[in-house]
């Protein structure tokens, strides 16, 4: 069960975090970026992470590797195919530069769509340890004056609450 903590914080304002890992409470020399998006606004926050958890977060499962390789192959093939078809189907009256630009946009769009489509399946294929580290902290909500965090680690949540006591808000 996660603990929700809401603090007063404006965009671009620094949020103090304890010097321990958000996942395992070990000393944390590194950081992990947590992001949440609402509409066109994205909130990015760097939370502390220990070296071991950073290593686990960077490891990939065999399924992740396989899906990533398939996504790159499919995006390359569809990008080139879209480029070729768009070049062939654009009117010959247009200049070659304009035809090439249209073809590049079509090919790039197809390649981007394939990579975007594989993004979630690749994330779902992550190792359980990696998924646990990613879920150790989430930004549940944010506005121009407050951010609500959800922490899985109670010790980290307690220390975070102590550090940000003057900024605490009721949920």
């Amino acid at each position: 069960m996660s603990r929700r903590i809401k603090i007063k914080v404006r965009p671009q304002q620094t949020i103090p975090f304890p010097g321990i890992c958000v996942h395992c409470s070990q000393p944390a020399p590194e950081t992990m970026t947590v992001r949440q998006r609402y509409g066109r606004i994205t909130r990015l926050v760097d939370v502390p992470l220990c070296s071991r958890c950073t290593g686990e977060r960077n490891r990939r499962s065999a399924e992740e590797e396989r899906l990533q390789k398939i996504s790159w192959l499919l995006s390359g093939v569809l990008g080139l195919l879209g480029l070729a078809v768009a070049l062939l189907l654009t009117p010959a009256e247009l200049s070659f530069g304009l035809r090439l630009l249209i073809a590049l946009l079509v090919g790039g769009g197809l390649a981007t769509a394939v990579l975007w489509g594989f993004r979630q399946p690749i994330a779902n294929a992550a190792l359980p340890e990696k998924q646990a580290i990613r879920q150790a902290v989430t930004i549940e909500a944010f506005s121009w004056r407050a951010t609500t965090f959800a922490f899985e680690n109670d010790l980290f949540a307690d220390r975070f609450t102590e550090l940000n006591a003057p900024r605490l808000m009721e949920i």
Side-chain angles (χ1 to χ4, degrees):
M1 173 141 157
S2 62
R3 283 188 47 196
R4 297 175 66 213
I5 300 171
K6 185 175 184 179
I7 63 169
K8 291 179 191 175
V9 62
R10 295 184 186 275
Q12 310 302 325
Q13 188 176 7
T14 304
I15 302 170
F17 285 98
I20 60 174
C21 179
V22 72
H23 179 65
C24 68
S25 301
Q26 296 298 312
E30 302 182 39
T31 61
M32 169 179 72
T33 302
V34 179
R35 66 183 43 135
Q36 180 65 22
R37 183 180 180 141
Y38 288 120
R40 296 185 320 196
I41 301 170
T42 301
R43 175 73 41 99
L44 301 171
V45 178
D46 289 331
V47 295
L49 204 63
C50 70
S51 299
R52 186 182 65 77
C53 288
T54 299
E56 283 293 324
R57 191 175 55 99
N58 293 334
R59 280 185 43 213
R60 292 194 180 142
S61 69
E63 184 66 9
E64 261 183 301
E65 289 284 340
R66 187 181 75 76
L67 287 172
Q68 188 163 24
K69 288 176 182 175
I70 289 172
S71 73
W72 283 104
L73 178 67
L74 273 176
S75 68
V77 168
L78 284 178
L80 288 174
L81 185 64
L83 178 83
V85 169
L87 267 176
L88 291 174
L89 294 180
T90 51
E93 298 84 39
L94 296 176
S95 70
F96 181 72
L98 183 58
R99 291 176 57 214
L100 182 62
L101 178 64
I102 292 169
L104 285 171
L105 288 173
V106 169
L110 284 172
T112 302
V114 168
L115 292 174
W116 185 262
F118 270 88
R119 198 173 55 96
Q120 193 61 44
I122 290 172
N124 291 341
L127 296 167
E129 297 87 4
K130 186 176 186 174
Q131 290 181 1
I133 292 167
R134 285 182 184 161
Q135 295 168 354
V137 60
T138 57
I139 300 172
E140 286 196 346
F142 67 88
S143 66
W144 64 273
R145 67 179 196 99
T147 301
T148 304
F149 292 98
F151 297 105
E152 294 293 325
N153 182 339
D154 287 332
L155 176 62
F156 189 88
D158 291 338
R159 296 238 180 120
F160 180 79
T161 302
E162 290 170 12
L163 275 174
N164 294 288
R167 296 179 173 182
L168 290 179
M169 299 176 74
E170 291 189 28
I171 296 178

